[in-house]
Amino acid sequence: DAGITQSPRHKVTETGTPVTLRCHQTENHRYMYWYRQDPGHGLRLIHYSYGVKDTDKGEVSDGYSVSRSKTEDFLLTLESATSSQTSVYFCAIRGTSPSGTQYFGPGTRLLVL
Amino acid sequence: SQKIEQNSEALNIQEGKTATLTCNYTNYSPAYLQWYRQDPGRGPVFLLLIRENEKEKRKERLKVTFDTTLKQSLFHITASQPADSATYLCALEDRGSTLGRLYFGRGTQLTVWP
């Protein structure tokens, strides 16, 4: 599992509430990614990071922000949760063997009421 | 527009047969293509990677082919077993993209029945 954990694993929240999801890795990987997965859409990239304090937007970044103050932690924040952000969120790291593969965390299931 | 299409949303086959899953792409120039397996409630797991200059890659009962002219990859599971039942995702890294960004298809749900 490449030492990736996500917390919380499940969360129910109300519309308008800020929510922060955490991804933690233990193997000092430089590149980290946040995806959301929805029926009919597959995996879509929200944000990614190429180092501490270095982040960039993916294809569905509106309403989300990220931070990476330490190599091992990549935080995803829903600034004001909406029902359209109900989804399963996966964190991933870029592996090196073979180069280019990604290793995923177990996911966080978020329900916004 | 750019697309990655996995031709079947669902594929049902009998145990022992060969499952063949298809991934087609449009308006990408992939350096390589990857296949992942995803079980319900879990994150995707990497299976195989094939580079643009490779025609075929094998790993145990799995085989991947990559045809850059047809813009297509085929994923085969030979002697399929019920334990192979899962969703299979194809993904590619486009030459023009940065920082290891992968683009995923929506997946094919494979069911192998006894």
Side-chain angles (χ1 to χ4, degrees), chain A residues 33 37 40 50 94 100-102, chain B residues 32 34 36 38 99-100 106:
Chain A
Y33 310 85
Q37 189 173 38
Y50 42 98
R94 178 180 170 92
T101 57
Q102 290 190 9
Chain B
Y32 47 77
Q34 305 179 33
Y36 289 77
Q38 187 173 22
L99 306 171
R106 297 180 184 180

Side-chain angles (χ1 to χ4, degrees), chain B:
Chain B
S1 63
Q2 294 178 314
K3 291 182 187 176
I4 300 173
E5 293 179 308
Q6 295 190 241
N7 286 17
S8 301
E9 284 193 9
L11 180 64
N12 299 307
I13 65 167
Q14 188 177 21
E15 183 176 10
K17 303 291 186 184
T18 295
T20 298
L21 285 64
T22 305
C23 178
N24 294 287
Y25 59 90
T26 306
N27 292 328
Y28 285 102
S29 181
Y32 47 77
L33 192 142
Q34 305 179 33
W35 285 87
Y36 289 77
R37 169 182 173 142
Q38 187 173 22
D39 292 288
R42 308 193 72 168
V45 174
F46 169 74
L47 294 175
L48 280 171
L49 178 151
I50 185 164
R51 302 185 191 284
E52 60 173 337
N53 60 349
E54 297 175 317
K55 295 293 185 186
E56 183 179 295
K57 202 73 147 319
R58 292 177 184 261
K59 178 183 176 182
E60 298 173 354
R61 295 184 295 110
L62 308 180
K63 184 178 85 171
V64 173
T65 63
F66 192 13
D67 188 326
T68 56
T69 301
L70 292 178
K71 299 186 188 302
Q72 181 180 79
S73 175
L74 299 179
F75 177 78
H76 306 272
I77 305 175
T78 59
S80 60
Q81 305 165 1
D84 295 325
S85 298
T87 297
Y88 292 86
L89 309 173
C90 73
L92 59 83
E93 180 172 336
D94 191 46
R95 284 187 179 284
S97 68
T98 57
L99 306 171
R101 181 171 173 171
L102 289 181
Y103 297 87
F104 284 84
R106 297 180 184 180
T108 296
Q109 185 173 356
L110 174 67
T111 302
V112 181
W113 45 279

Side-chain angles (χ1 to χ4, degrees), chain A residues 2 9 29 36 39 44 58-59 64 69 75 80-83 97 99:
Chain A
R9 294 293 314 279
H29 293 282
R36 60 178 289 174
R44 293 181 291 175
E59 62 185 300
Y64 301 95
S69 58
L75 304 180
S80 177
T82 68
S83 58
S97 181
S99 178

Side-chain angles (χ1 to χ4, degrees), chain A residues 75-96:
Chain A
L75 304 180
L76 176 71
T77 298
L78 288 65
E79 291 144 8
S80 177
T82 68
S83 58
S84 65
Q85 293 176 311
T86 292
S87 187
V88 181
Y89 292 86
F90 289 102
C91 173
I93 58 93
R94 178 180 170 92
T96 56

